Amino acid sequence: MTGMTTTEANKDGNEEGVSRFVERFAAELTEAGMQRMAARVFAALLASETASMTSAELAEQLRISPAAVSGAIRYLSQVSMISRERDPGTRRERYVLHNELWYETFTRRDQILVRWEKVLRDGSETLGPDTAAGMRTAETAEFFAFLQREMLGVMDRWAAYRDARP
């Protein structure tokens, strides 16, 4: 398996198990709405010991074309899940997961919730606060406001937990 040395891929003596994990997690991401190839590339990067691989390594490990890798990389870059770095002394690019990937992803979602809440509050006024549609829209806005407050607390607790672990 490229992207991982044999020792890295076989820490448990099971290169096939790593591949199964990558495909299983990619399937879950796809089910949740992520593009299939992007999900596979992301899962492969997550499972690699260094959290980084070249396009050739990804293509070989996942048995996909360079064009498929390129499209997945473009998507993952656009949604800020990975970044590109140059391999020192070469012209090759290496694709790297962000260190604070999940924190950044949920922080961006939090910003989306703020925007949705505002639009929903405006919509509730437009629809009429005393109409069924207006009340339903206002309740949805309240839900997003609640979710945002809770998410901030969860992220703070996660940061404290992460910093306190050995």
Side-chain angles (χ1 to χ4, degrees):
M1 180 177 295
T2 309
M4 291 186 244
T5 65
T6 305
T7 304
E8 292 168 342
N10 291 319
K11 280 188 177 171
D12 297 322
N14 190 355
E15 184 175 325
E16 187 178 312
V18 173
S19 290
R20 276 197 311 270
F21 162 74
V22 166
E23 295 305 327
R24 183 174 174 208
F25 189 53
E28 292 294 329
L29 293 170
T30 301
E31 185 71 26
M34 185 183 278
Q35 296 174 358
R36 183 173 179 269
M37 282 300 151
R40 292 182 72 211
V41 167
F42 175 79
L45 288 168
L46 185 66
S48 76
E49 197 64 21
T50 61
S52 71
M53 297 172 84
T54 66
S55 181
E57 291 169 339
L58 287 161
E60 182 181 328
Q61 177 181 333
L62 298 172
R63 295 183 182 102
I64 59 178
S65 71
V69 172
S70 179
I73 293 297
R74 186 173 32 261
Y75 171 82
L76 293 169
S77 294
Q78 288 171 347
V79 297
S80 301
M81 293 180 79
I82 65 165
S83 58
R84 301 170 192 244
E85 296 178 358
R86 286 265 186 228
D87 259 350
T90 73
R91 293 173 45 156
R92 275 190 323 203
E93 286 188 324
R94 181 163 287 282
Y95 305 105
V96 182
L97 290 181
H98 291 294
N99 285 338
E100 299 286 329
L101 172 71
W102 297 114
Y103 184 84
E104 290 174 19
T105 299
F106 281 97
T107 300
R108 279 191 305 281
R109 296 280 182 217
D110 181 55
Q111 294 165 357
I112 291 168
L113 292 176
V114 170
R115 293 193 334 249
W116 288 0
E117 178 194 353
K118 181 182 180 343
V119 170
L120 287 161
R121 289 203 186 284
D122 292 347
S124 176
E125 287 300 315
T126 300
L127 296 169
D130 296 329
T131 66
M135 288 186 276
R136 189 171 46 250
T137 306
E139 183 176 346
T140 304
E142 285 179 52
F143 171 74
F144 285 131
F146 173 82
L147 196 56
Q148 179 198 14
R149 284 189 307 274
E150 291 300 308
M151 188 67 71
L152 292 172
V154 165
M155 298 313 260
D156 288 343
R157 288 190 300 281
W158 164 249
Y161 171 83
R162 183 195 59 218
D163 294 344
R165 66 178 188 203

